[in-house]
Amino acid sequence: MLRLPEGMERVWLMKAKGMREVEIAEALGISRQAVNKALKDARVKLFEAFFGLAEVFSWEIVRVNAEKGFMVARGRCLDKNVRVYAFYFPGKGVKAFFGEELPDYVLEHAVEMGITKKLDREDLVKALES
């Protein structure tokens, strides 16, 4: 599955965790313009990954947030309509989960990325759906 190039991923991750572009540039010793370009390219690649995944599995996209690296979709599994939650995990790529039974590591990732503030499945689902 898709993985962002290492340098691009580093910039995207810093931004996703709340750093400003100028802070990222200073921390990495690169120009603000290079940071801006890396972020733009990362968003494009993540959108392409999420839309491609939805197309392959015939999921209906509800929401995509490339800045935080997640997608919410509707799909079919065993003849039932289910929610699909897909996340971009740095160093690993995109992983999708069906329904609201998200593993603990997804909750930890969501807190780290600022998607939700606490390790609570219900809070995470509300944040993803809103």
Side-chain angles (χ1 to χ4, degrees), residues 55-80:
E55 183 177 1
V56 166
F57 292 104
S58 299
W59 296 336
E60 180 184 338
I61 295 173
V62 174
R63 180 178 183 207
V64 174
N65 183 324
E67 287 77 19
K68 294 292 183 179
F70 70 85
M71 174 184 72
V72 179
R74 282 188 283 272
R76 302 227 4 117
C77 183
L78 301 174
D79 293 327
K80 293 181 182 177

Side-chain angles (χ1 to χ4, degrees), residues 34-128:
V35 169
N36 186 279
K37 181 175 179 355
L39 290 172
K40 179 181 174 188
D41 292 348
R43 283 191 298 271
V44 168
K45 287 182 180 291
L46 290 173
F47 270 115
E48 288 173 351
F50 289 132
F51 278 84
L53 192 61
E55 183 177 1
V56 166
F57 292 104
S58 299
W59 296 336
E60 180 184 338
I61 295 173
V62 174
R63 180 178 183 207
V64 174
N65 183 324
E67 287 77 19
K68 294 292 183 179
F70 70 85
M71 174 184 72
V72 179
R74 282 188 283 272
R76 302 227 4 117
C77 183
L78 301 174
D79 293 327
K80 293 181 182 177
N81 288 324
V82 294
R83 272 301 206 227
V84 181
Y85 301 103
F87 300 87
Y88 179 79
F89 291 92
K92 294 182 172 74
V94 176
K95 293 188 180 191
F97 304 88
F98 296 92
E100 297 177 5
E101 295 302 317
L102 301 167
D104 288 343
Y105 73 90
V106 173
L107 297 174
E108 293 165 6
H109 171 75
V111 169
E112 183 180 350
M113 298 301 291
I115 298 168
T116 188
K117 294 189 186 324
K118 55 185 175 178
L119 296 171
D120 182 86
R121 281 175 184 79
E122 191 173 309
D123 281 355
L124 175 55
V125 170
K126 284 179 186 175
L128 294 170

